[in-house]
Amino acid sequence: MDHGVHKRILIVEDEASIREMIAFALRKAGMDAMQAADARAAQLAIAEQVPDLILLDWMLPGTSGLELARRLRKEELSREIPIIMLTARGEEMDRVNGLEAGVDDYVVKPFSTRELIARIKAVLRRSQGDDGSGMVELGRLRIDGPAHRVFAGDEAVPIGPTEYRLLYFFMTHPERVYSRTQLLDHVWGGSVYVEERTVDVHIRRLRKTLEPWKLEDMVQTVRGTGYRFSLSA
Amino acid sequence: MDHGVHKRILIVEDEASIREMIAFALRKAGMDAMQAADARAAQLAIAEQVPDLILLDWMLPGTSGLELARRLRKEELSREIPIIMLTARGEEMDRVNGLEAGVDDYVVKPFSTRELIARIKAVLRRSQGDDGSGMVELGRLRIDGPAHRVFAGDEAVPIGPTEYRLLYFFMTHPERVYSRTQLLDHVWGGSVYVEERTVDVHIRRLRKTLEPWKLEDMVQTVRGTGYRFSLSA
DNA sequence: CACTAATGTTACGCGTCGATGACACCCATG
DNA sequence: CATGGGTGTCATCGACGCGTAACATTAGTG
């Protein structure tokens, strides 16, 4: 389901101009756009390559969007794919039907691309480990947001405030390098000024707290760039 | 508060279509849905029939959701009812403010009904070591609501009124951090103004109360955040 | 292989936060 | 009216965590 950095979005919309507009916006946002003009084409596209999310126009020639959504929910291959419905104003009342069909969100036309992208990201976020419970799990590490606790396996890991925030950030943004400045922005908050090297020290402290569980290798140095949190050594 | 199988959920939301949508989803999930369009209607509905949980829109005409939440926390009748806030696409500021108001959880719009139901169940489960009889048990600690008594193993624990309420709240909301403000809201009720530090003192007294049974470690400090009640050290 | 920049590591002082004990007040109860 | 338990507030003390600098080590570079 995950294809590196780029998320694959399937646009199912009969009007070519709208399709193109959306596709353009998606690409600009760093996503891959697939297109289909009707239900038939959509199913073929999915069979060929499963997308991470489907944008589905309410009104389609032939099989309606709602009907297609229902159908997709029934098939094993497409059951888990989040769907965002594109509805025109006045069709909102049918939300209930859409929900019944398992649609994840609605965007009402006309919409700004900014809003659309935001919604897509929100839905994608939810459909990945972030189930809303505030729990994040990565390898043997587990972080319980509500309880403000970290577990390695099922043992509690004693950890201080800043280390906790740093680890939390890393766990929610793994497999990616962050510069010291970026880490300061995200973990410390942009308003405070501290030396960049301070990050090093906290990285050190984080490693040390993970040491008893041999997890210190998850915090990795990328020389000349910054740090990365990763499963693989 | 327990009405057989069906949990009673009160939806407070001004927009009828959203209200209906949620109500539909709730019923499909086997819950009873009550509805209210504003704070006034909500209070009337609660007075008539106390729900098991309240879904509260952040933006309401007249009295805001936040304000209503505070008010509900002040009244004896509604103090114990878990609240889930429905907030618009706001940032963490909403989150913080909401949690400070003694809200149990919040869900950001737009949300999928799947997510909403999951959260509701999570919150209901959490505030329900209570099996309906008013008995709560956690580790060697047992609390008898109707009798207003606490037992460690089978010995009775002498405990004062405030300590009792604090412990009761902790027992029904374990494994989760609460700020001093949150504890004040939930245990003291929002209507009285007391210093935040007072919480520290009662934490201390509660710990001392539990000491003879070596249970004082269940009350845990989370530096910079608040306190947590937990089984594991 | 030597040199240098980047990172690792340790130590230390300071500030913040929490723990604790003392105290005054309130209210119920005898 | 007196007594005592219960509660909120305050001042103090101590522990903890944080940021910084100083020193050690490593990894690129020519």
Side-chain angles (χ1 to χ4, degrees):
Chain A
M1 194 91 74
D2 202 313
H3 333 273
V5 230
H6 296 295
K7 291 299 177 185
R8 204 185 312 279
I9 315 290
L10 173 62
I11 310 163
V12 188
E13 158 72 58
D14 55 321
E15 227 180 286
S17 64
I18 297 182
R19 224 164 53 218
E20 283 299 343
M21 177 189 86
I22 296 175
F24 177 78
L26 290 181
R27 294 209 182 85
K28 219 178 63 172
M31 306 175 187
D32 283 346
M34 302 158 59
Q35 302 187 25
D38 56 33
R40 209 180 145 60
Q43 289 185 289
L44 286 175
I46 292 168
E48 187 170 328
Q49 198 163 52
V50 177
D52 295 298
L53 184 144
I54 300 172
L55 290 176
L56 190 47
D57 188 30
W58 185 265
M59 294 295 291
L60 283 179
T63 311
S64 80
L66 178 62
E67 183 53 35
L68 176 57
R70 284 213 176 88
R71 204 178 294 172
L72 291 174
R73 282 288 173 259
K74 284 181 188 154
E75 308 223 359
E76 191 55 46
L77 187 65
S78 54
R79 182 184 317 247
E80 296 295 328
I81 310 173
I83 296 177
I84 296 181
M85 275 277 182
L86 307 177
T87 88
R89 205 168 280 293
E91 296 169 343
E92 299 161 67
M93 291 319 291
D94 281 328
R95 276 175 171 239
V96 170
N97 290 325
L99 284 168
E100 190 184 4
V103 165
D104 291 82
D105 198 5
Y106 281 83
V107 177
V108 179
K109 296 183 195 177
F111 49 81
S112 68
T113 52
R114 170 193 291 277
E115 181 187 0
L116 182 63
I117 299 292
R119 298 267 188 133
I120 289 174
K121 284 185 176 169
V123 171
L124 283 176
R125 183 171 9 92
R126 281 198 296 263
S127 69
Q128 298 169 354
D130 189 354
D131 61 348
S133 70
M135 290 278 208
V136 191
E137 211 163 344
L138 209 68
R140 289 168 47 220
L141 258 191
R142 186 161 42 92
I143 195 162
D144 182 336
H148 215 270
R149 269 203 153 183
V150 178
F151 295 92
D154 45 358
E155 293 177 68
V157 178
I159 194 168
T162 307
E163 278 167 66
Y164 176 86
R165 292 203 312 276
L166 180 58
L167 180 61
Y168 190 90
F169 176 76
F170 272 141
M171 297 266 295
T172 49
H173 302 79
E175 311 296 344
R176 195 180 149 180
V177 193
Y178 289 93
S179 71
R180 291 175 175 73
T181 307
Q182 286 176 300
L183 289 173
L184 284 176
D185 281 344
H186 284 113
V187 178
W188 274 255
S191 52
V192 287
Y193 178 74
V194 287
E195 287 292 327
E196 284 210 344
R197 290 302 304 278
T198 299
V199 175
D200 296 36
V201 180
H202 280 275
I203 288 284
R204 160 69 176 146
R205 285 170 179 157
L206 179 55
R207 281 174 174 152
K208 201 177 268 181
T209 61
L210 295 178
E211 250 172 48
W213 292 271
K214 307 282 178 237
L215 293 172
E216 71 273 18
D217 289 341
M218 297 184 82
V219 184
Q220 297 164 3
T221 304
V222 180
R223 198 180 174 81
T225 307
Y227 297 95
R228 173 183 51 211
F229 196 77
S230 168
L231 273 172
S232 52
Chain B
M1 194 108 52
D2 202 314
H3 331 275
V5 226
H6 294 297
K7 292 299 177 184
R8 204 186 310 279
I9 315 289
L10 173 62
I11 309 163
V12 188
E13 157 74 56
D14 55 320
E15 221 180 290
S17 65
I18 297 182
R19 224 166 51 219
E20 286 295 347
M21 170 181 95
I22 296 175
F24 177 83
L26 290 180
R27 294 209 182 86
K28 216 178 68 170
M31 305 174 184
D32 282 347
M34 302 158 59
Q35 302 189 26
D38 55 33
R40 213 182 142 62
Q43 290 185 290
L44 288 175
I46 293 168
E48 187 169 324
Q49 196 162 53
V50 178
D52 295 298
L53 184 145
I54 300 173
L55 290 176
L56 190 48
D57 188 28
W58 184 265
M59 294 294 291
L60 283 178
T63 311
S64 81
L66 178 63
E67 185 54 39
L68 177 57
R70 285 198 203 286
R71 203 179 295 173
L72 291 175
R73 282 285 172 260
K74 286 178 192 168
E75 309 223 0
E76 193 54 47
L77 188 64
S78 52
R79 174 168 314 162
E80 298 291 334
I81 311 173
I83 296 177
I84 296 182
M85 272 275 179
L86 307 178
T87 105
R89 181 170 300 289
E91 284 306 297
E92 314 235 348
M93 288 314 295
D94 288 347
R95 178 179 212 146
V96 172
N97 288 332
L99 289 177
E100 291 304 320
V103 163
D104 292 80
D105 198 359
Y106 79 107
V107 178
V108 181
K109 295 185 195 176
F111 47 80
S112 66
T113 52
R114 200 182 319 173
E115 179 185 4
L116 183 63
I117 299 293
R119 297 272 191 123
I120 290 174
K121 285 184 177 169
V123 170
L124 284 177
R125 191 169 348 102
R126 192 186 311 138
S127 52
Q128 209 141 71
D130 196 330
D131 62 347
S133 68
M135 286 283 207
V136 190
E137 209 164 344
L138 207 70
R140 290 166 46 219
L141 259 191
R142 189 159 41 89
I143 198 164
D144 182 338
H148 228 259
R149 281 174 75 93
V150 178
F151 297 91
D154 44 344
E155 296 176 65
V157 178
I159 194 169
T162 307
E163 278 166 68
Y164 175 85
R165 293 204 314 276
L166 179 58
L167 180 61
Y168 188 87
F169 175 76
F170 271 141
M171 297 266 297
T172 48
H173 301 77
E175 309 297 342
R176 204 181 156 98
V177 194
Y178 290 95
S179 71
R180 291 175 175 76
T181 307
Q182 286 175 280
L183 289 173
L184 285 176
D185 281 341
H186 279 112
V187 178
W188 275 256
S191 56
V192 285
Y193 178 74
V194 287
E195 286 292 324
E196 284 208 347
R197 291 273 146 231
T198 300
V199 174
D200 298 34
V201 179
H202 280 273
I203 288 283
R204 160 71 175 145
R205 287 170 180 159
L206 178 55
R207 279 175 175 153
K208 201 176 267 182
T209 304
L210 296 176
E211 245 171 52
W213 292 271
K214 305 283 178 239
L215 293 172
E216 71 273 18
D217 288 341
M218 296 184 82
V219 183
Q220 298 165 3
T221 304
V222 180
R223 183 171 248 261
T225 306
Y227 297 96
R228 170 183 56 215
F229 196 76
S230 168
L231 275 171
S232 52

